[in-house]
């Protein structure tokens, strides 16, 4: 059976950030995500931060320090990248191999989107399939806040293509799933 390297990006506005923080840091009990086993939540960790962050204040500070223009109230201020692999594959990895998988994924993302733009890298081991949430503040090289410029359609497709190749170079036998433009073709 094929093992797929899974990577997905979701964009959020400031009004969403507190909910993202609560989910990632397991603040409170989720009534909507029944897959969380709170007895295992102490196995979760953040590869970038030893202390829990206040996402909203960190994002506001980064934007005020680095973005030249005034931002719109409804701007996308956080792009969250979800990283995992097929459950059958992830469950064959030891804890240390899983951590290496996530560390190599994080390095790939930081190289691609900038270490300075990476806010957190939270690994959840308390759900059915281990996965990592990486928060990227979408600030461009010319200091604009622009998720649409960084995470455009072409970039997202390239990300899907490049991620499994990168992981293969580190010894992880994962492949890319079917491209969405190929999925919808009828034979």
């Amino acid at each position: 059976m094929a093992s797929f390297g899974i990577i997905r990006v979701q964009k959020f506005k400031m009004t969403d950030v507190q909910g993202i923080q609560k989910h990632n840091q397991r603040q409170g009990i989720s009534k909507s995500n029944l897959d969380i086993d709170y007895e295992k939540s102490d196995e979760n960790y953040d590869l970038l931060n030893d202390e829990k962050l206040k996402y909203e204040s960190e994002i506001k500070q980064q934007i005020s320090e680095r973005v030249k223009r005034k931002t719109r109230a409804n701007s996308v201020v956080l792009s969250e990248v979800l990283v995992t692999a097929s459950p059958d594959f992830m469950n064959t990895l030891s804890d240390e191999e899983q951590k290496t998988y996530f560390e190599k994924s994080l390095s790939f993302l930081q190289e691609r989107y900038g270490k300075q733009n990476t806010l957190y890298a939270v690994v959840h081991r308390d759900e059915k399939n281990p996965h990592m949430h990486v928060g990227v503040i979408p600030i461009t090289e010319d200091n604009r806040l622009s998720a649409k410029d960084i995470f455009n359609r072409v970039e997202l497709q390239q990300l899907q293509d490049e991620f499994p190749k990168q992981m293969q170079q580190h010894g992880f036998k994962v492949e890319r799933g079917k491209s969405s433009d190929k999925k919808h073709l009828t034979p």
Side-chain angles (χ1 to χ4, degrees):
M1 178 180 273
S3 296
F4 299 107
I6 300 168
I7 193 161
R8 179 182 86 217
V9 179
Q10 192 170 359
K11 299 174 185 178
F12 297 103
K13 297 177 181 177
M14 194 62 80
T15 55
D16 304 313
V17 169
Q18 191 173 34
I20 301 305
Q21 176 184 321
K22 284 181 179 181
H23 170 76
N24 288 347
Q25 296 179 358
R26 298 298 193 244
Q27 297 169 333
I29 304 292
S30 172
K31 292 176 176 55
S32 60
N33 189 346
L34 303 177
D35 288 340
I36 299 172
D37 180 353
Y38 289 98
E39 291 182 19
K40 293 183 178 181
S41 291
D42 62 336
E43 295 176 23
N44 297 344
Y45 54 91
D46 188 329
L47 289 171
L48 293 177
N49 305 290
D50 294 328
E51 303 291 321
K52 293 188 181 209
L53 294 181
K54 293 189 184 311
Y55 291 2
E56 189 172 330
S57 60
E58 288 289 331
I59 291 168
K60 284 179 178 177
Q61 180 180 342
Q62 287 290 325
I63 290 170
S64 71
E65 289 175 3
R66 298 176 46 216
V67 175
K68 304 291 183 210
R69 292 176 153 169
K70 183 165 173 47
T71 58
R72 293 185 334 269
N74 66 345
S75 293
V76 171
V77 297
L78 179 69
S79 297
E80 189 172 85
V81 183
L82 177 91
V83 176
T84 189
S86 302
D88 292 341
F89 176 75
M90 289 303 285
N91 292 322
T92 65
L93 301 177
S94 69
D95 292 351
E96 198 55 44
E97 289 168 325
Q98 282 182 11
K99 186 172 184 179
T100 301
Y101 182 86
F102 294 129
E103 288 171 339
K104 298 299 181 187
S105 301
L106 175 61
S107 295
F108 168 72
L109 293 169
Q110 287 183 315
E111 187 176 307
R112 200 166 183 103
Y113 304 117
K115 210 173 200 173
Q116 73 281 5
N117 290 340
T118 313
L119 185 62
Y120 57 83
V122 176
V123 176
H124 285 158
R125 295 181 37 84
D126 61 354
E127 293 184 53
K128 289 182 181 175
N129 195 29
H131 59 276
M132 177 172 64
H133 298 274
V134 180
V136 177
I137 304 170
I139 300 175
T140 63
E141 289 182 18
D142 60 349
N143 295 319
R144 291 179 298 113
L145 184 67
S146 182
K148 73 177 184 178
D149 285 355
I150 295 174
F151 295 102
N152 58 49
R153 184 180 198 104
V154 171
E155 169 57 20
L156 293 174
Q157 187 166 8
Q158 289 175 350
L159 179 64
Q160 294 287 327
D161 292 340
E162 293 299 317
F163 177 68
K165 291 177 188 173
Q166 280 292 317
M167 299 314 290
Q168 289 166 6
Q169 289 178 6
H170 295 291
F172 295 99
K173 293 179 171 68
V174 293
E175 56 189 69
R176 188 200 198 289
K178 282 187 183 174
S179 175
S180 64
D181 60 333
K182 292 180 182 135
K183 273 188 218 172
H184 303 294
L185 298 176
T186 53

